Coordinates of all heavy atoms in Angstrom, one line a residue:
A16 N 3.8 12.2 -20.8 CA 3.5 11.8 -19.4 C 3.6 13.0 -18.5 O 4.3 14.0 -18.8 CB 4.4 10.7 -18.9
A17 N 3.0 13.0 -17.3 CA 3.0 14.0 -16.4 C 2.9 13.4 -15.0 O 2.3 12.4 -14.8 CB 2.0 15.1 -16.6
I18 N 3.4 14.2 -14.0 CA 3.4 13.7 -12.6 C 3.2 15.0 -11.7 O 3.8 16.0 -12.0 CB 4.7 12.9 -12.2 CG1 4.6 12.3 -10.8 CG2 5.9 13.8 -12.3 CD1 5.7 11.3 -10.6
N19 N 2.4 14.8 -10.6 CA 2.2 16.0 -9.8 C 3.4 16.1 -8.8 O 4.3 15.3 -8.8 CB 0.9 15.9 -9.0 CG 0.9 14.8 -7.9 OD1 1.7 13.9 -7.9 ND2 -0.1 14.9 -7.0
W20 N 3.4 17.2 -8.0 CA 4.5 17.5 -7.1 C 4.8 16.5 -6.1 O 5.9 16.3 -5.6 CB 4.4 18.9 -6.5 CG 3.3 19.0 -5.5 CD1 2.0 19.3 -5.7 CD2 3.5 18.9 -4.1 NE1 1.3 19.3 -4.5 CE2 2.2 19.1 -3.5 CE3 4.6 18.7 -3.2 CZ2 2.1 19.1 -2.1 CZ3 4.4 18.6 -1.9 CH2 3.2 18.8 -1.3
I21 N 3.8 15.8 -5.6 CA 4.0 14.7 -4.6 C 4.5 13.4 -5.3 O 5.2 12.7 -4.6 CB 2.6 14.4 -3.9 CG1 2.1 15.7 -3.2 CG2 2.8 13.3 -2.9 CD1 0.8 15.5 -2.5
G22 N 4.1 13.2 -6.5 CA 4.5 12.0 -7.2 C 3.5 10.9 -7.1 O 3.7 9.8 -7.5
K23 N 2.3 11.2 -6.6 CA 1.2 10.2 -6.4 C 0.2 10.2 -7.6 O -0.5 9.2 -7.7 CB 0.5 10.5 -5.1 CG 1.3 10.4 -3.9 CD 1.9 9.0 -3.7 CE 2.6 8.9 -2.4 NZ 3.2 7.5 -2.2
T24 N 0.2 11.2 -8.4 CA -0.7 11.3 -9.5 C 0.1 11.3 -10.8 O 1.0 12.2 -11.0 CB -1.6 12.5 -9.4 OG1 -2.4 12.4 -8.2 CG2 -2.6 12.5 -10.6
T25 N -0.2 10.5 -11.8 CA 0.4 10.4 -13.1 C -0.6 10.3 -14.2 O -1.7 9.8 -14.0 CB 1.4 9.3 -13.2 OG1 0.7 8.0 -13.0 CG2 2.5 9.4 -12.1
Y26 N -0.2 10.8 -15.3 CA -1.0 10.7 -16.6 C -0.1 10.3 -17.7 O 1.1 10.7 -17.8 CB -1.6 12.0 -16.9 CG -2.7 12.5 -15.9 CD1 -2.4 13.4 -14.9 CD2 -4.0 12.0 -16.0 CE1 -3.3 13.8 -14.0 CE2 -4.9 12.4 -15.0 CZ -4.6 13.3 -14.1 OH -5.5 13.7 -13.2
Y27 N -0.6 9.5 -18.6 CA 0.1 9.1 -19.8 C -0.7 9.2 -21.0 O -1.9 8.9 -21.0 CB 0.6 7.6 -19.6 CG 1.5 7.4 -18.5 CD1 1.0 7.0 -17.2 CD2 2.9 7.5 -18.6 CE1 1.8 6.7 -16.2 CE2 3.7 7.2 -17.5 CZ 3.2 6.9 -16.3 OH 4.0 6.6 -15.2
T28 N -0.1 9.4 -22.1 CA -0.8 9.3 -23.4 C -1.0 7.9 -23.7 O -0.3 7.0 -23.3 CB -0.1 10.0 -24.5 OG1 -0.9 10.1 -25.7 CG2 1.2 9.3 -24.9
D29 N -2.1 7.5 -24.4 CA -2.5 6.1 -24.6 C -1.4 5.3 -25.2 O -1.3 4.1 -24.9 CB -3.8 6.1 -25.4 CG -5.0 6.5 -24.6 OD1 -5.0 6.6 -23.4 OD2 -6.1 6.8 -25.2
S30 N -0.7 5.9 -26.1 CA 0.3 5.1 -26.9 C 1.5 4.6 -26.1 O 2.2 3.7 -26.5 CB 0.8 5.9 -28.1 OG 1.5 7.1 -27.6
V31 N 1.7 5.2 -24.9 CA 2.8 4.7 -24.0 C 2.4 4.0 -22.8 O 3.3 3.6 -22.0 CB 3.7 5.9 -23.7 CG1 4.1 6.7 -25.0 CG2 3.1 6.9 -22.7
K32 N 1.1 3.9 -22.5 CA 0.6 3.3 -21.3 C 1.1 1.8 -21.2 O 1.0 1.1 -22.2 CB -0.9 3.4 -21.2 CG -1.4 4.7 -20.8 CD -2.9 4.7 -20.7 CE -3.5 6.1 -20.4 NZ -5.0 6.1 -20.3
G33 N 1.6 1.5 -20.1 CA 2.1 0.1 -19.9 C 3.6 -0.1 -20.3 O 4.2 -1.1 -20.1
R34 N 4.1 0.9 -21.0 CA 5.5 0.8 -21.5 C 6.4 1.9 -20.8 O 7.6 1.6 -20.6 CB 5.6 1.0 -23.0 CG 4.8 0.0 -23.8 CD 5.1 0.0 -25.3 NE 4.7 1.3 -25.8 CZ 5.5 2.2 -26.4 NH1 6.8 1.9 -26.5 NH2 5.0 3.3 -26.9
F35 N 5.9 3.1 -20.6 CA 6.6 4.2 -20.0 C 6.2 4.4 -18.6 O 5.0 4.3 -18.3 CB 6.4 5.5 -20.8 CG 7.0 5.5 -22.2 CD1 7.5 4.4 -22.8 CD2 7.1 6.7 -22.9 CE1 8.1 4.4 -24.1 CE2 7.6 6.7 -24.2 CZ 8.1 5.6 -24.8
T36 N 7.1 4.9 -17.8 CA 6.8 5.2 -16.4 C 7.5 6.5 -16.0 O 8.7 6.6 -16.2 CB 7.3 4.1 -15.4 OG1 6.7 2.9 -15.8 CG2 6.9 4.5 -14.0
I37 N 6.8 7.5 -15.6 CA 7.3 8.7 -15.1 C 7.5 8.7 -13.6 O 6.6 8.1 -12.9 CB 6.4 9.9 -15.5 CG1 7.1 11.3 -15.2 CG2 5.1 9.9 -14.9 CD1 6.4 12.5 -15.7
S38 N 8.5 9.2 -13.1 CA 8.8 9.3 -11.6 C 9.6 10.5 -11.3 O 10.2 11.1 -12.2 CB 9.5 8.0 -11.1 OG 10.7 7.8 -11.7
R39 N 9.7 10.8 -10.0 CA 10.5 12.0 -9.6 C 11.1 11.7 -8.3 O 10.6 11.0 -7.4 CB 9.6 13.2 -9.6 CG 8.6 13.3 -8.5 CD 7.6 14.4 -8.7 NE 8.3 15.7 -8.6 CZ 7.8 16.9 -9.0 NH1 6.6 16.9 -9.6 NH2 8.5 18.0 -8.9
D40 N 12.3 12.3 -8.1 CA 13.0 12.3 -6.8 C 13.2 13.7 -6.4 O 14.2 14.3 -6.9 CB 14.3 11.5 -6.9 CG 15.0 11.3 -5.6 OD1 14.7 12.1 -4.7 OD2 15.8 10.4 -5.5
N41 N 12.4 14.3 -5.6 CA 12.5 15.7 -5.2 C 13.8 16.0 -4.5 O 14.3 17.1 -4.6 CB 11.3 16.1 -4.4 CG 10.0 16.2 -5.2 OD1 10.1 16.2 -6.5 ND2 8.9 16.2 -4.6
A42 N 14.3 15.0 -3.7 CA 15.5 15.2 -3.0 C 16.7 15.4 -3.9 O 17.7 16.1 -3.6 CB 15.8 14.1 -2.1
K43 N 16.6 14.9 -5.1 CA 17.7 15.0 -6.1 C 17.3 16.0 -7.2 O 18.1 16.1 -8.2 CB 18.0 13.6 -6.8 CG 18.5 12.6 -5.8 CD 18.9 11.3 -6.5 CE 19.5 10.3 -5.5 NZ 19.8 9.0 -6.2
N44 N 16.1 16.6 -7.1 CA 15.7 17.6 -8.1 C 15.7 17.0 -9.5 O 16.1 17.6 -10.5 CB 16.5 18.8 -8.1 CG 16.3 19.7 -6.9 OD1 15.4 19.5 -6.1 ND2 17.3 20.5 -6.6
T45 N 15.2 15.7 -9.6 CA 15.3 15.0 -10.9 C 14.0 14.3 -11.2 O 13.3 13.8 -10.3 CB 16.4 14.0 -10.8 OG1 17.6 14.6 -10.6 CG2 16.5 13.3 -12.2
V46 N 13.6 14.3 -12.5 CA 12.4 13.6 -13.0 C 12.9 12.6 -14.0 O 13.9 12.9 -14.8 CB 11.4 14.6 -13.6 CG1 10.2 13.8 -14.2 CG2 10.9 15.6 -12.6
Y47 N 12.3 11.4 -14.0 CA 12.7 10.4 -14.9 C 11.6 9.9 -15.8 O 10.4 10.0 -15.5 CB 13.2 9.1 -14.1 CG 14.2 9.5 -13.1 CD1 13.9 9.7 -11.7 CD2 15.6 9.5 -13.4 CE1 14.9 10.0 -10.8 CE2 16.6 9.8 -12.5 CZ 16.2 10.0 -11.2 OH 17.2 10.3 -10.3

């Protein structure tokens, strides 16, 4: 999975779509 710097654009490999979610909190310098 990948996410852009704003957090509005995401990509997932087909095998994890619908099961995995990528997100980020720039204020906490953390990606989940």
Side-chain angles (χ1 to χ4, degrees):
I18 188 167
N19 74 341
W20 70 274
I21 300 175
K23 298 296 185 181
T24 302
T25 58
Y26 295 98
Y27 300 91
T28 191
D29 287 343
S30 64
V31 307
K32 287 181 178 178
R34 300 189 298 119
F35 291 10
T36 302
I37 187 172
S38 62
R39 68 190 298 164
D40 186 339
N41 289 342
K43 296 182 178 180
N44 292 340
T45 303
V46 177
Y47 306 96

